[in-house]
Amino acid sequence: MVTNGGERPRVFEGLQYQSGFGNEFQSEAIPGALPKGQNNPQVCPFGLYAEQLSGSAFTAPRAHNERTWLYRILPSVTHEPFQRVEASWRVVTHFQSSQPTPNQLRWAPLDLPAAGEEVDFVAGIVSFCGAGSPSTKDGFAIHMYSANVGMHRSCLANADGSYLVVPQQGTLHLTTEMGLLEVPVGCIAVIPRGVRFSVDLPDGASRGYLLEVYAGSFRLPDLGPIGANGLANARDFESPLAWYEDAEGDADFFTVLHKFEGELFEAKQSFSPFNVVAWHGNYVPYRYNLDRFCPMNAVRFDHPDPSIFTVLTCPSPVAGTAVADFVVFPPRWTVAEHTFRPPYYHRNYMNEFMGLIRGVYDAKEGGKNGFAPGGASLHACMSPHGPDTLCYEKSIAANTGRPERLPSDTLAFMFETNYTPRV
């Protein structure tokens, strides 16, 4: 048996990770904790419990079948009944009653919690737009978060979909069932559907963006004639090593929050859910450093379509479209001759939600009422959009006979979706 060691300090400095995307990983915090030659032995090493976490149907094609076997001190089924949380919950999941609009929209950054307030990650989530429903596992939602305290003895599991987290201010320390992830500004993290996690905020007040997909999983985009390398390379994605705490207390020692059909439920249990001593599988949380994105660009003339900057995609049933793409606009050289170099004026079949992590986006100036870090914009299907007047005037007067480097302190991104969002 694994003896009760109590709550362990969560040390994020110097963390080691496993490299790769979609791999069959395995990790054990205690040597010998992983069963040899089978998944579910009659008696697991050290008296652990075997528990499978399935991220897809059992019969999904092998290339898209996702599951991980967890070997834990106590099974996650050991909890009190779930109760609906009546506290303020600013998350929307069903958007049928929300309003569609073809107007271009822009939002200022979320305010950080006021002095004297204590707002954790879950309480700090605010919904902005979305479409579809988790009832049919189809659609998406876009949220932002603003928080200033960690989640003490509580965790969240999202049964509705997977999260892609984009910090804009403040590092996130994520404790998951598979281990620890440090996610500073300039990195992203993906937390698959159903994986329990807790968020601590080592820098204090923090905010960022949250993309939730109800359907499928994120994948790397196909590269086509680009070839075997470029954009986001699989080796640069990092998944955690096994980490556990054997902490127990009274019946209400720990709170498990469960997002289900857009509502928030909670269950009490007497032990930490982060009690997984070993695991193996391909259904895991991961992080990615956006500085490692290898952008492609035009080297002679014209502006390429923004899809060339896709980091991750969650495909939709319609070929060539996505439930959501995550697209990044990193610092890079622009060299196209006799070309209008900023993003062109556009009406799009898809829908575009833009965010700014830092700096100034090359098509939208900052300043008063401008596109500020932490803010956002939405351009719905066939709604005209493009550079502002100042950007246009500067660009048509620029000397395109020489290369220009976009500032290294600028980092913007886009969530692009086939589903028309309601606000």
Side-chain angles (χ1 to χ4, degrees):
M1 295 289 291
V2 175
T3 57
N4 189 333
E7 291 182 89
R8 295 175 60 191
R10 300 172 185 178
V11 179
F12 288 83
E13 184 177 350
L15 279 177
Q16 300 295 308
Y17 299 97
Q18 301 184 83
S19 173
F21 188 90
N23 296 22
E24 286 287 337
F25 295 109
Q26 64 178 28
S27 183
E28 53 187 8
I30 297 176
L34 274 175
K36 304 298 183 185
Q38 65 180 117
N39 296 322
N40 189 25
Q42 183 178 15
V43 178
C44 292
F46 302 108
L48 299 172
Y49 290 81
E51 178 180 294
Q52 183 175 202
L53 177 61
S54 295
S56 63
F58 295 139
T59 53
R62 177 167 287 217
H64 306 302
N65 205 301
E66 297 177 303
R67 83 286 173 265
T68 287
W69 279 93
L70 310 172
Y71 301 94
R72 54 197 324 148
I73 298 167
L74 286 172
S76 55
V77 71
T78 311
H79 61 79
E80 298 297 319
F82 282 104
Q83 306 290 335
R84 182 176 282 102
V85 176
E86 303 297 341
S88 175
W89 174 237
R90 296 179 291 173
V91 170
V92 178
T93 298
H94 301 280
F95 290 90
Q96 292 89 338
S97 60
S98 299
Q99 296 301 311
T101 176
N103 288 318
Q104 305 94 334
L105 300 178
R106 184 176 293 183
W107 290 278
L110 282 180
D111 291 333
L112 295 169
E117 279 189 290
E118 290 193 349
V119 181
D120 69 13
F121 177 82
V122 175
I125 299 174
V126 181
S127 298
F128 280 75
C129 61
S133 169
S135 302
T136 55
K137 292 185 169 63
D138 188 30
F140 77 100
I142 295 173
H143 322 279
M144 294 192 218
Y145 67 87
S146 175
N148 62 350
V149 296
M151 297 171 63
H152 179 63
R153 288 186 182 171
S154 69
C155 69
L156 174 65
N158 183 5
D160 293 338
S162 298
Y163 282 138
L164 189 154
V165 190
V166 186
Q168 186 273 319
Q169 177 177 324
T171 293
L172 302 182
H173 282 175
L174 303 182
T175 302
T176 77
E177 292 177 276
M178 289 79 170
L180 307 177
L181 288 171
E182 183 174 43
V183 190
V185 175
C187 291
I188 62 169
V190 170
I191 304 167
R193 181 196 309 265
V195 172
R196 293 177 173 181
F197 69 98
S198 184
V199 180
D200 287 309
L201 307 174
D203 298 331
S206 304
R207 67 185 170 205
Y209 307 86
L210 199 60
L211 170 63
E212 181 180 8
V213 292
Y214 305 145
S217 299
F218 289 104
R219 305 177 196 169
L220 294 176
D222 291 330
L223 295 180
I226 291 175
N229 306 289
L231 306 188
N233 292 308
R235 65 176 297 199
D236 293 325
F237 290 82
E238 297 176 312
S239 294
L241 296 171
W243 179 94
Y244 76 97
E245 60 182 5
D246 183 13
E248 294 188 55
D250 296 333
D252 60 353
F253 174 73
F254 207 97
T255 301
V256 175
L257 297 169
H258 196 74
K259 182 176 179 289
F260 184 76
E261 284 286 292
E263 297 193 47
L264 192 63
F265 296 81
E266 68 175 20
K268 302 294 185 179
Q269 61 185 49
S270 62
F271 60 94
S272 170
F274 305 119
N275 64 352
V276 177
V277 181
W279 59 268
H280 72 85
N282 63 355
Y283 193 62
V284 297
Y286 53 86
R287 72 170 195 170
Y288 175 74
N289 185 341
L290 296 173
D291 283 343
R292 296 182 180 177
F293 185 79
C294 180
M296 305 288 164
N297 214 340
V299 295
R300 188 177 177 196
F301 62 86
D302 279 352
H303 193 293
D305 294 331
S307 52
I308 198 70
F309 300 112
T310 300
V311 180
L312 292 168
T313 182
C314 178
S316 84
V318 180
T321 70
V323 175
D325 289 329
F326 174 65
V327 181
V328 68
F329 303 105
R332 62 196 182 279
W333 286 95
T334 175
V335 300
E337 298 175 312
H338 48 81
T339 293
F340 184 75
R341 287 177 173 177
Y344 44 72
Y345 293 96
H346 193 204
R347 288 181 293 164
N348 193 358
Y349 171 88
M350 303 284 277
N351 304 270
E352 305 174 8
F353 181 96
M354 290 284 303
L356 185 60
I357 299 171
R358 58 175 179 255
V360 178
Y361 180 50
D362 60 337
K364 299 173 183 176
E365 298 292 333
K368 185 178 180 181
N369 298 322
F371 191 54
S377 67
L378 176 64
H379 304 134
C381 175
M382 294 302 167
S383 292
H385 57 278
D388 60 24
T389 302
L390 180 59
C391 175
Y392 173 79
E393 292 175 347
K394 288 171 59 177
S395 298
I396 62 173
N399 178 4
T400 61
R402 61 187 183 192
E404 178 186 8
R405 193 180 193 283
L406 298 179
S408 59
D409 63 348
T410 289
L411 188 58
F413 72 89
M414 177 171 69
F415 300 143
E416 187 175 60
T417 174
N418 185 46
Y419 296 78
T420 301
R422 290 172 173 251
V423 178

